[in-house]
Amino acid sequence: MTRPVESAPGLRLFRPTTPGQWAGLSIIALWVLLAVLATVLSADPLAQQTADRLQGPSLAHLFGTDQLGRDVFSRVLQGGRATLPIGVSIVLLATLVGVPLGALAGFVRGWLDEAVMRVADLLFALPALVLALAIAAALGPSVSSAVIAIAAVMWPRYARLARGQVLTLRRREFVLADRATGASPAQVLWQTVLPNAAPVVTLVAVLDLGTATLAGATLSFLGLGVQPPTPEWGAMVSTAVQTPEAWWSSLFPGLALVSFVVAVNLYGQVFDRKGLGR
């Protein structure tokens, strides 16, 4: 039976307490809502009108139009449907790979611990963005390649985190009690230790969401992520570079990306103020 650890942060820490934290949560919720309702609130982002090329912001086109005559407002809303899931997918994949490896390394110790930690140290020693670019280029430009490439450089963070939590918890009284009652090592790890380490891992994953989203947009900006004509904030900024006179084409998708990343960081103050892991 899973027993709670008093020192582990609970999900109550997700509750905002300051105006900045509420603002961050509100912006995150707004972008998620806009992404979900994008097809209802905007026109077809792939529709283009040659006569409306490079039109500035107006009542007809709130964010103007791009070099192909496509409505930038519609593309920004639709771009959230690509950009936000990429960040979530990266964090989820990095967690699914790093947490089990780190937990096993910390619980089993010995050669497995050495092997996992040495691989993690090797990846930490390499420039993360350069390594992600190399992996994405080797796999070929696509959304899945971008997710795999960035997750490949992020999982060691979760492996170390999970290992540290397991090393702390494996000597706690309730874990020793489970062992004394005849529970197998696998039961102790998966049913007692990991559930009590989950809150800390979850909090770090939330804090990493902004970084992962920005990294995914960066690969799309460099042509290794979402491919045209699918709208995505990073790819939209990259395309807009070709027409610097149409400042609105890059400004609005850039602001969308910045606002989401800043919102995640503002919301992350919930954990900084209350003390991660205390």
Side-chain angles (χ1 to χ4, degrees):
M1 181 177 67
T2 302
R3 297 175 175 83
V5 179
E6 295 181 358
S7 63
L11 295 181
R12 66 185 183 279
L13 293 185
F14 283 94
R15 185 173 63 251
T17 58
T18 69
Q21 294 159 12
W22 277 111
L25 180 60
S26 299
I27 295 173
I28 294 171
L30 177 61
W31 274 120
V32 172
L33 181 63
L34 289 175
V36 172
L37 299 178
T39 55
V40 178
L41 299 175
S42 62
D44 181 3
L46 301 182
Q48 56 191 59
Q49 300 291 333
T50 305
D52 292 335
R53 291 179 63 253
L54 301 179
Q55 296 293 313
S58 64
L59 292 178
H61 302 285
L62 294 180
F63 291 175
T65 62
D66 63 10
Q67 70 272 28
L68 297 179
R70 298 172 297 190
D71 184 68
V72 176
F73 176 75
S74 298
R75 288 178 60 77
V76 168
L77 293 189
Q78 294 281 349
R81 298 171 68 91
T83 305
L84 303 187
I86 289 176
V88 174
S89 300
I90 291 169
V91 172
L92 183 61
L93 181 57
T95 303
L96 291 177
V97 173
V99 170
L101 285 176
L104 286 172
F107 195 78
V108 176
R109 304 302 303 276
W111 65 269
L112 180 61
D113 188 22
E114 285 294 320
V116 172
M117 288 300 100
R118 295 299 76 77
V119 173
D121 290 340
L122 175 62
L123 292 176
F124 274 125
L126 300 173
L129 181 58
V130 174
L131 180 58
L133 286 172
I135 296 174
L139 294 176
S142 68
V143 175
S144 58
S145 297
V147 171
I148 293 172
I150 300 171
V153 300
M154 286 185 67
W155 73 261
R157 170 179 171 83
Y158 293 94
R160 278 191 172 182
L161 177 64
R163 176 180 179 270
Q165 287 295 302
V166 170
L167 289 176
T168 300
L169 295 171
R170 69 198 298 267
R171 296 300 180 187
R172 295 294 298 269
E173 292 80 1
F174 64 89
V175 175
L176 297 177
D178 269 4
R179 287 178 168 175
T181 58
S184 68
Q187 289 176 320
V188 172
L189 176 61
W190 299 109
Q191 297 180 14
T192 302
V193 176
L194 274 184
N196 284 276
V200 173
V201 175
T202 302
L203 301 188
V204 172
V206 171
L207 293 172
D208 280 348
L209 180 58
T211 301
T213 302
L214 183 60
T218 300
L219 289 192
S220 294
F221 176 85
L222 296 173
L224 296 174
V226 176
Q227 299 299 300
T230 302
E232 192 276 339
W233 294 340
M236 290 175 64
V237 174
S238 177
T239 302
V241 171
Q242 303 171 12
T243 53
E245 68 277 8
W247 51 267
W248 53 88
S249 296
S250 58
L251 175 65
F252 291 112
L255 286 178
L257 179 61
V258 169
S259 67
F260 181 78
V261 174
V262 170
V264 172
N265 291 333
L266 285 174
Y267 183 49
Q269 295 176 10
V270 172
F271 317 123
D272 293 338
R273 286 179 174 272
K274 295 183 179 180
L276 184 64
R278 271 190 301 178

